[in-house]
Amino acid sequence: MKIAFFTLGCKVNQYETQVLTQLFSAGGYEIVPHTAKADIYLVNSCTVTATGDKKTRQMLRRFKTQNPAARIVLTGCFPQAFPDAAERLPEADVITGARSRGRIVGLVEQNLTTGERIVAITPHERGESFETMHADRFSERTRAFVKIEDGCERYCSYCIIPTARGPVRSKPLSDLQNELSGLASAGYREVVLVGINLSCYGKEFGLRLIDAVECACAAEGISRVRLGSLEPELLSESDIERMSRQPKVCPQFHLSLQSGCDATLRRMNRHYNTAAYAAIVANLRRHFENCAITTDLMVGFPGETEEEFAQSLAFAEKIGFAKVHVFAYSVRPGTRAAAMPDQVPGPDKESRSSRMIKATDDARAAFLRTQVGQTASVLFENRLKDGFYEGYTENYTPVRVLSPGDLRGQERPVSIVAAYSDWCEGALAD
């Protein structure tokens, strides 16, 4: 029997889909691309924005059209956060949430046997434990994602994720060690530690993120350890200093900013201000040479004035980010921000997005120019056309090198000779 998977959303969702792929493969199912005709289609949903919900509904309809006889499985954050809305979707034959993924194979087989629709969404509860799961392979040949934390308790005013993902819970260090050992044996050189609120790792154990980082750096066969998106206020200078003593830690940090205006940050219920954020960036740059800071920036949050936007823009320019994901605020039903007054008109959001993207693209180009003349270690991943291979430096600068031999999977020193808008060109240094 053939099954296809489609994933929406973050790296955590992608990791969890990989785990599900392995579970169904072990159960004797043949994994096929989602563009192929399959007996079962599984959609792992994202509900960060209402647009994510819309895409989920579109994919359910597309797969039912692709094969009307197929069984459609809906799982992930959307049904967990909005179970009633998910249950009303007629295309879904099996509906589960963001918990108890180990049950999905059994639920699908029950549906195949009985033909009865199954809705099995387990509510989150205080004190629930981290769901044991290990991924042993990914579509990328050199980089593996490792989920070490789930849940969030920060309750930003625009965000539904605490409802979808529940309380903070963490992967025990012993489980992390075992998973990393398996990934190293499978040939992965780089691991990316990811979570819903990664900075809260270990809260229930009396541990901190630095403990997981040191555990990962101790894994034999792993040469690089990278961190996923971080909430900045939980990165203390002492932990940053401890991290800097680990030569495997990649000097690239994605610190979620959201706004460079303190008044907007307060309305967002973010737990820091711009001065604290700037101090954390300064600490990272002090302890990590050639450090890249990347971020997310939202424009058009309710109540944002043109003056507040100007403050956010000026702060972004002051920090000098290596890369920024800019997006306009969109109403997320079920959050406090959805009911806030002074919603920003669409044309204003579009204008602010364009201006912020222009400024941060300029900062991106300026950062890439600082890499020219340096020799960096590049872990090659992809073969491009015309004999070029692309990989990433430790600070996540994309570098392309012309080579007659296959460089994929190799980590090689590269002299960076030129910078373009979104990548650098290099030559093998050895």
Side-chain angles (χ1 to χ4, degrees):
M1 188 160 288
K2 297 178 180 179
I3 182 169
F5 296 83
F6 187 85
T7 308
L8 292 157
C10 65
K11 299 297 185 185
V12 174
N13 265 18
Q14 294 175 34
Y15 173 92
E16 291 166 348
T17 295
Q18 181 55 45
V19 172
L20 293 175
T21 301
Q22 293 169 197
L23 290 174
F24 277 95
S25 181
Y29 292 82
E30 179 185 353
I31 313 300
V32 299
H34 73 269
T35 52
K37 188 173 182 179
D39 304 295
I40 304 163
Y41 294 94
L42 186 148
V43 176
N44 191 1
S45 63
C46 172
T47 196
V48 167
T49 66
T51 302
D53 296 350
K54 180 180 179 181
K55 289 180 180 178
T56 294
R57 293 190 293 269
Q58 288 174 339
M59 294 312 300
L60 295 177
R61 289 193 292 268
R62 180 182 302 179
F63 291 140
K64 185 58 79 172
T65 301
Q66 204 162 299
N67 182 5
R71 305 300 170 91
I72 310 295
V73 183
L74 172 61
T75 188
C77 292
F78 171 54
Q80 189 73 46
F82 302 103
D84 293 341
E87 190 170 354
R88 289 195 296 270
L89 297 176
E91 298 86 0
D93 300 293
V94 177
I95 302 174
T96 71
R99 291 190 68 186
S100 306
R101 290 171 186 81
R103 298 176 56 207
I104 291 183
V105 176
L107 294 174
V108 170
E109 292 181 345
Q110 180 182 336
N111 173 262
L112 290 169
T113 300
T114 66
E116 295 180 0
R117 191 180 200 225
I118 296 173
V119 179
I121 302 170
T122 306
H124 287 298
E125 56 189 2
R126 183 64 57 183
E128 68 181 86
S129 59
F130 187 88
E131 184 177 3
T132 301
M133 56 176 68
H134 287 182
D136 58 21
R137 61 187 181 276
F138 295 85
S139 58
E140 297 184 54
R141 295 174 54 181
T142 56
R143 181 183 300 117
F145 296 93
V146 181
K147 176 186 168 184
I148 66 170
E149 186 275 342
D150 206 342
C152 182
E153 299 165 7
R154 308 307 274 176
Y155 291 97
C156 298
S157 61
Y158 53 82
C159 187
I160 199 70
I161 291 305
T163 301
R165 284 286 181 169
V168 169
R169 54 233 191 254
S170 311
K171 177 171 287 184
L173 290 178
S174 58
D175 282 359
L176 176 58
Q177 289 172 333
N178 291 336
E179 186 166 8
L180 292 170
S181 178
L183 291 169
S185 297
Y188 289 97
R189 304 287 300 281
E190 179 180 312
V191 295
V192 186
L193 305 183
V194 298
I196 298 301
N197 189 343
L198 188 60
S199 302
C200 284
Y201 174 83
K203 175 183 174 182
E204 70 273 46
F205 304 142
L207 300 174
R208 300 194 306 282
L209 178 59
I210 182 61
D211 297 299
V213 171
E214 290 174 343
C215 175
C217 289
E220 293 185 11
I222 300 296
S223 60
R224 291 182 176 187
V225 175
R226 198 179 297 279
L227 296 176
S229 181
L230 297 163
E231 291 299 300
E233 76 274 11
L234 297 172
L235 275 183
S236 69
E237 184 170 11
S238 61
D239 284 357
I240 291 171
E241 192 277 329
R242 275 177 64 183
M243 243 189 289
S244 71
R245 289 186 239 142
Q246 298 292 333
K248 293 182 180 180
V249 172
C250 293
Q252 179 250 332
F253 300 91
H254 189 89
L255 304 180
S256 183
L257 174 59
Q258 304 302 345
S259 176
C261 169
D262 287 340
T264 306
L265 288 173
R266 286 193 294 272
R267 291 197 302 277
M268 290 177 168
N269 196 35
R270 301 292 284 172
H271 300 272
Y272 53 85
N273 57 25
T274 53
Y277 187 98
I280 293 165
V281 171
N283 287 335
L284 287 167
R285 287 173 169 162
R286 183 181 309 115
H287 289 287
F288 287 91
E289 185 180 358
N290 196 21
C291 180
I293 306 296
T294 60
T295 198
D296 306 299
L297 270 169
M298 185 190 303
V299 301
F301 188 74
E304 183 187 68
T305 64
E306 187 63 30
E307 180 182 357
E308 289 178 346
F309 168 75
Q311 292 176 21
S312 188
L313 179 63
F315 185 76
E317 292 174 329
K318 171 187 170 183
I319 293 295
F321 291 104
K323 191 167 188 176
V324 180
H325 171 225
V326 178
F327 61 103
Y329 168 78
S330 63
V331 175
R332 171 69 277 185
T335 65
R336 284 183 289 141
M340 284 183 176
D342 303 318
Q343 298 284 330
V344 177
D348 290 344
K349 288 193 281 191
E350 291 176 12
S351 171
R352 293 173 192 177
S353 291
S354 297
R355 284 179 279 164
M356 186 67 80
I357 289 170
K358 171 64 168 62
T360 54
D361 282 351
D362 289 346
R364 169 71 168 168
F367 171 79
L368 293 176
R369 288 194 296 271
T370 69
Q371 305 304 295
V372 176
Q374 300 200 39
T375 298
S377 175
V378 175
L379 181 57
F380 288 96
E381 298 181 9
N382 305 311
R383 180 168 54 197
L384 307 178
K385 62 182 181 180
D386 300 328
F388 278 90
Y389 291 84
E390 184 178 57
Y392 290 86
T393 66
E394 290 168 321
N395 71 5
Y396 211 61
T397 297
V399 177
R400 298 177 185 179
V401 170
L402 182 65
S403 172
D406 192 341
L407 297 177
R408 288 174 295 179
Q410 298 185 43
E411 189 172 4
R412 301 281 291 275
V414 171
S415 298
I416 299 178
V417 299
Y420 300 93
S421 61
D422 199 39
W423 55 280
C424 288
E425 185 175 347
L428 294 176
D430 55 355

